[in-house]
Amino acid sequence: MMKTFSSIFLLCAAQILAIAQPAAQFDKDAKVFRLDGGNVSYVFGVNAKGDLQQMYWGGKLGAGDRFSQAQQRPEWASFDSPYTNTPQEYAGWGAGLFVEPALKVTFADGNRDLVLHYESHTETPHGVDVVLKDIKRYILVTLHYSMDPATGILARSATIENREPQPVTIEQAAAAGWALPPAHYSLNYLTGRWAGEWTLTQETLHPGERVIESRRGTTGHQANPWFAIQSGDPDENHGEVWFGALAWSGSWRITVEQDQLDAVRVTGGFNPFDFGYVLHPGQSLDTPVFYGGYSAYGLGGASRMLHHFELAHVLPHRLGEGEAAAPKPRPVIYNSWEATEMNVTEAGQEALAEKAAELGVDRFVMDDGWFGQRKTDHAGLGDWYVNQEKFPQGLKPLIDKVHALGMDFGLWVEPEMVNPDSDLYRKHPEWVLNFAGRPRSEERTQLVLNLARPDVRAYVMGFLDKLLTENDIAFLKWDYNRNWSEPGWDQLPPAEQKKVYVEFIRNLYGILGELKKRHPKVEFESCSGGGGRVDLGILQYADEVWPSDNTDPFDRISQQDGFTYVYTPQIMMAWVTDSPHWANKRATSLEYRMLSSMQGSLGIGANISKWTDQEMSTAKRLIASYHQVQPTIVQGDLYRLISPRNGSEFSATQTVNHDKSQSVIFAFVHSTQEGRGFPRLKLMGLDPAAEYALTPIEGSVAKDTPAVASGSWWMNHGLGMSEEFRGDFQGAAFRLDKK
Ligand code: GLA
């Protein structure tokens, strides 16, 4: 339809208005702040006492809707004061606060009472900075609010500044506090362990506090810094969901608390366990960012929103191509780890590279074993020179060969670690995290370098910069294979040593940021023995992540399901490895393994030197099909049609690209029971009026399925699978293309 002049004018006027309209509105009389973005409004205000109080978070309100001034909640008998009953935006611990505080400090004179009141505010391009001040002491807290206009996802963080003449110790600092009114809610969060990450845990919210955390110095496999609270019971497609994800790769904590009056309070930030950050006069501390979002379309709606936000605003963008250049779909990689482990040699890697190129792989990655005296995991970490026995002429011949085969080259590193059996440790035993005179607990015979130390930071920066300068490397898989123990930092006075929890991570981010600047074309993967370091903090620098060392294709279907509640399939690397799988001794077909990995960013990690011609041609065919639809799979809208959780016999996912011109469907039979056929898949997110042609990628559909049908047909009648789609560990995939 042609646009009329007046509709163009109206459009322009609306755009001008949208630009002119500040992201945050402040109603001076009522002292109310309001942020609108996407379909979300977030409202808070200053009550008569001066507290900054949360007032509303949910579906977008009318443009003319006004709030009157925030009202402190009344006292509940003599046991719960208005201060504790009122949902504070950022509660200082003081004045009889019994719920979780956002900030707890100790002043030099022993005073530990902190009551924060509104002081001033400044508008920012996408939101507002609100300054709070203690009622007596010169402690300033600036709360930063920035709302994404497209999704309504709100980025919140705090800067705590000491303007007292004496030092102040911060014992607990959250990035933000979120609040919801009393109702029946369920809580969703992710738990796991090494080789078993990404289990979606769902439970009814009960009175008391649920703590989701890592005390490990890093993000951890055991829990991920994300929560989703759903109104009522968990529902994939319907109902209100409030969610949050913390951008921090150090020890972190999220608390979800149903308080004494049944309201819900959430905090998230640095883990207060063993925490202590001394602020000298004039110093300040920035917390990580805690992102929060709202969807009215269930957990599926929440994760689709988060995926878009990550692609648009969190992940590193293509440098030099401007803001709008979204991350590219990942190259299909080959990684040698499961094929050779540390037994890497020039000839062996070159042979694998030849086979990988035949398959249509885009990037060849050499894993652990190429450096120092690295023959087993007992030695070598810290010595980042090329092993002369394995690569007599350095890495160049292998890299040249990989390039000549039409692939780019990637390499494994584990920069923050050292084996006691290494030149580095012999020279600098003082560089590791340790308490003087105490044992140094080894894990995988390695210790953690104290990256908070300026000399360690300089060393790590130096060898990585040299490696990337001297070699044509497109990609680093940055690994991190243990958690902290004995986290001492004896360069600093005792009272300051706990700063290690913050400075280590700041230096990690600093190094990654600097490397990105100096080597803009180099891409990074965040790996930590699988999915131990996946969070929105590291994802500002990492182009992809390794979700788990467990590559069993059946386990991966569930792990990938859990992973996508928070993270986009764009970053979810998934390798096809050998069968039977080492973890479960389960044998599966190559087709099934390929399809399981094709749900994310595909890679091959098998010993392809042993593959038969048949296996080579199956993989080659499916890699070619994958390349054709990869942008839809990894950057489209993801619908989890049938969940693999709770021992389901089946599972299915569907992705739809942004203009709804293509959709890709994956279906898996885990184990047919009692002859049950695969349920008809009612697809989602298509254009109802458009015609879509169906093409099988693998497997076949029910005989009566039309070759072309409307979006309405596929969504209402649904897609039926072939009667043959039964058995154990079967997979099928289809694409729909708009005619
Ligand atoms: C970790 C990674 C693996 C592999 C090994 C190498 O376990 O997750 O993929 O790189 O280290 O030692």
Side-chain angles (χ1 to χ4, degrees):
M1 205 178 64
M2 251 181 62
K3 281 193 187 115
T4 60
F5 180 77
S6 63
S7 76
I8 289 173
F9 172 76
L10 278 176
L11 199 76
C12 294
Q15 277 165 353
I16 290 163
L17 211 76
I19 294 163
Q21 178 105 343
Q25 295 170 55
F26 181 60
D27 180 336
K28 259 198 235 120
D29 302 326
K31 298 193 175 152
V32 170
F33 295 90
R34 171 171 166 173
L35 292 118
D36 292 302
N39 291 318
V40 181
S41 297
Y42 188 89
V43 184
F44 57 99
V46 185
N47 64 28
K49 263 302 244 294
D51 304 327
L52 197 66
Q53 178 176 337
Q54 201 259 18
M55 298 172 78
Y56 176 80
W57 183 21
K60 193 168 193 164
L61 304 170
D65 292 335
R66 293 275 171 273
F67 281 78
S68 43
Q69 185 168 14
Q71 298 287 313
Q72 251 200 343
R73 300 273 193 277
E75 182 178 273
W76 185 247
S78 51
F79 293 95
D80 288 301
S81 66
Y83 187 68
T84 206
N85 292 342
T86 298
Q88 314 274 342
E89 277 293 287
Y90 197 83
W93 185 74
L97 180 87
F98 301 117
V99 294
E100 196 64 56
L103 184 61
K104 182 175 185 311
V105 302
T106 297
F107 290 90
D109 61 357
N111 169 40
R112 304 191 306 281
D113 184 54
L114 182 77
V115 178
L116 298 168
H117 278 177
Y118 169 82
E119 183 80 1
S120 64
H121 71 271
T122 323
E123 277 172 21
T124 58
H126 292 292
V128 64
D129 282 350
V130 182
V131 180
L132 310 178
K133 185 187 160 296
D134 178 61
I135 47 174
K136 297 264 188 215
R137 305 271 171 119
Y138 216 163
I139 291 291
L140 296 181
V141 177
T142 306
L143 302 183
H144 309 285
Y145 293 83
S146 173
M147 190 174 256
D148 173 31
T151 58
I153 288 181
L154 184 59
R156 290 187 55 189
S157 63
T159 303
I160 303 144
E161 190 187 342
N162 178 19
R163 293 209 192 152
E164 287 281 289
Q166 300 292 327
V168 171
T169 303
I170 298 176
E171 284 155 5
Q172 179 164 344
W178 308 95
L180 296 170
H184 168 65
Y185 294 108
S186 47
L187 172 66
N188 301 267
Y189 56 105
L190 289 162
T191 56
R193 58 175 179 275
W194 175 78
E197 303 88 335
W198 312 112
T199 303
L200 183 70
T201 302
Q202 303 183 302
E203 63 198 25
T204 300
L205 211 59
H206 291 298
E209 185 170 276
R210 191 82 175 96
V211 176
I212 315 167
E213 65 171 350
S214 160
R215 298 180 175 190
R216 296 164 179 270
T218 186
T219 325
H221 304 72
Q222 294 70 16
N224 195 262
W226 166 83
F227 74 89
I229 295 173
Q230 175 138 29
S231 172
D233 296 328
D235 190 313
E236 184 64 22
N237 297 310
H238 309 97
E240 294 189 290
V241 174
W242 295 262
F243 58 91
L246 190 68
W248 187 240
S249 314
S251 289
W252 57 272
R253 190 181 73 152
I254 292 175
T255 62
V256 180
E257 181 177 16
Q258 194 172 40
D259 71 16
Q260 65 286 352
L261 300 179
D262 302 328
V264 174
R265 323 264 189 118
V266 179
T267 69
F270 299 122
N271 195 325
F273 179 81
D274 197 37
F275 192 78
Y277 198 99
V278 178
L279 283 184
H280 292 283
Q283 288 184 336
S284 61
L285 173 67
D286 291 322
T287 70
V289 174
F290 200 0
Y291 295 98
Y294 164 84
S295 166
Y297 303 100
L299 292 163
S303 64
R304 283 187 289 280
M305 188 184 279
L306 204 41
H307 295 174
H308 287 304
F309 181 75
E310 289 159 1
L311 287 164
H313 299 295
V314 181
L315 290 167
H317 280 201
R318 274 179 275 168
L319 292 166
E321 292 177 42
E323 257 295 291
K328 300 191 282 261
R330 308 285 67 228
V332 172
I333 66 147
Y334 177 78
N335 179 296
S336 62
W337 173 244
E338 289 202 19
T340 64
E341 298 211 330
M342 287 172 206
N343 231 339
V344 293
T345 58
E346 191 176 305
Q349 292 291 301
E350 288 187 4
L352 285 167
E354 275 171 19
K355 295 280 272 190
E358 260 181 66
L359 292 175
V361 159
D362 307 306
R363 170 173 290 170
F364 183 85
V365 184
M366 177 160 66
D367 212 280
D368 196 352
W370 59 270
F371 54 90
Q373 295 309 307
R374 187 81 163 160
K375 293 191 182 87
T376 67
D377 60 15
H378 284 56
L381 286 174
D383 299 340
W384 298 102
Y385 59 85
V386 179
N387 182 294
Q388 282 291 308
E389 264 170 67
K390 299 179 184 182
F391 298 91
Q393 300 158 73
L395 297 177
K396 193 167 185 314
L398 173 61
I399 297 178
D400 287 349
K401 170 86 181 184
V402 166
H403 288 165
L405 289 165
M407 299 178 288
D408 66 22
F409 181 78
L411 195 63
W412 181 94
V413 288
E414 194 176 359
E416 299 138 283
M417 297 290 167
V418 66
N419 287 117
D421 185 2
S422 67
D423 296 342
L424 183 70
Y425 189 74
R426 282 182 281 272
K427 197 164 161 206
H428 287 297
E430 76 284 9
W431 276 10
V432 299
L433 289 175
N434 76 96
F435 290 117
R438 305 287 305 171
R440 299 167 175 210
S441 302
E442 293 174 21
E443 304 284 346
R444 206 194 193 201
T445 56
Q446 65 196 55
L447 296 167
V448 185
L449 289 173
N450 182 358
L451 198 61
R453 290 175 62 116
D455 42 10
V456 173
R457 179 190 163 133
Y459 171 76
V460 169
M461 183 64 210
F463 85 73
L464 287 169
D465 187 37
K466 183 163 181 279
L467 187 66
L468 296 177
T469 305
E470 291 176 355
N471 300 284
D472 193 349
I473 292 172
F475 168 79
L476 285 183
K477 172 178 172 180
W478 183 306
D479 214 335
Y480 185 78
N481 275 315
R482 61 160 292 179
N483 297 152
W484 291 11
S485 58
E486 301 102 13
W489 181 5
D490 61 9
Q491 277 184 311
L492 298 191
E496 313 239 350
Q497 292 182 6
K498 291 176 180 172
K499 279 187 173 172
V500 69
Y501 285 103
V502 177
E503 303 311 324
F504 187 113
I505 309 304
R506 297 248 183 268
N507 279 350
L508 168 66
Y509 292 164
I511 292 169
L512 281 162
E514 186 58 29
L515 288 173
K516 286 238 156 213
K517 240 189 255 156
R518 292 194 200 170
H519 307 278
K521 294 221 166 87
V522 178
E523 297 182 333
F524 293 88
E525 176 175 281
S526 176
C527 173
S528 172
R533 190 151 68 185
V534 184
D535 58 78
L536 295 189
I538 201 81
L539 284 175
Q540 297 167 90
Y541 308 98
D543 302 84
E544 60 185 56
V545 304
W546 184 227
S548 180
D549 276 348
N550 184 348
T551 52
D552 175 280
F554 172 63
D555 284 0
R556 269 295 176 107
I557 289 171
S558 299
Q559 292 186 315
Q560 291 171 178
D561 174 77
F563 184 96
T564 59
Y565 278 87
V566 194
Y567 303 106
T568 161
Q570 159 80 14
I571 63 164
M572 183 172 77
M573 300 309 290
W575 307 344
V576 173
T577 57
D578 285 317
S579 169
H581 191 266
W582 57 264
N584 297 319
K585 308 289 175 220
R586 177 182 294 119
T588 51
S589 69
L590 181 57
E591 287 83 350
Y592 178 78
R593 280 176 275 147
M594 289 290 299
L595 293 176
S596 166
S597 294
M598 284 161 66
Q599 286 191 307
S601 285
L602 177 64
I604 308 288
N607 192 352
I608 47 179
S609 59
K610 297 212 171 113
W611 274 12
T612 61
D613 290 351
Q614 174 67 38
E615 285 172 314
M616 289 295 287
S617 83
T618 300
K620 189 174 174 177
R621 171 175 60 81
L622 286 170
I623 289 173
S625 305
Y626 177 77
H627 270 137
Q628 287 173 11
V629 288
Q630 185 182 2
T632 299
I633 296 173
V634 298
Q635 297 192 351
D637 276 326
L638 172 69
Y639 297 90
R640 290 174 290 255
L641 300 178
I642 305 178
S643 162
R645 270 176 282 122
N646 307 319
S648 169
E649 279 171 66
F650 318 107
S651 68
T653 59
Q654 180 204 356
T655 41
V656 183
N657 67 353
H658 298 316
D659 64 6
K660 298 182 189 289
S661 62
Q662 187 174 71
S663 179
V664 179
I665 300 107
F666 289 97
F668 297 96
V669 175
H670 304 152
S671 192
T672 299
Q673 289 167 47
E674 298 164 349
R676 259 188 294 279
F678 201 92
R680 196 144 18 106
L681 292 175
K682 297 200 173 183
L683 303 185
M684 300 180 75
L686 301 172
D687 173 355
E691 296 281 302
Y692 292 91
L694 179 85
T695 314
I697 294 172
E698 183 69 32
S700 51
V701 288
K703 283 204 186 82
D704 57 0
T705 309
V708 177
S710 68
S712 290
W713 168 282
W714 300 118
M715 293 194 288
N716 294 311
H717 174 277
L719 172 65
M721 295 294 137
S722 144
E723 277 295 306
E724 296 305 307
F725 195 46
R726 289 159 195 273
D728 293 337
F729 312 114
Q730 303 293 312
F734 308 94
R735 58 188 278 187
L736 287 175
D737 292 277
K738 197 166 165 177
K739 294 282 282 178

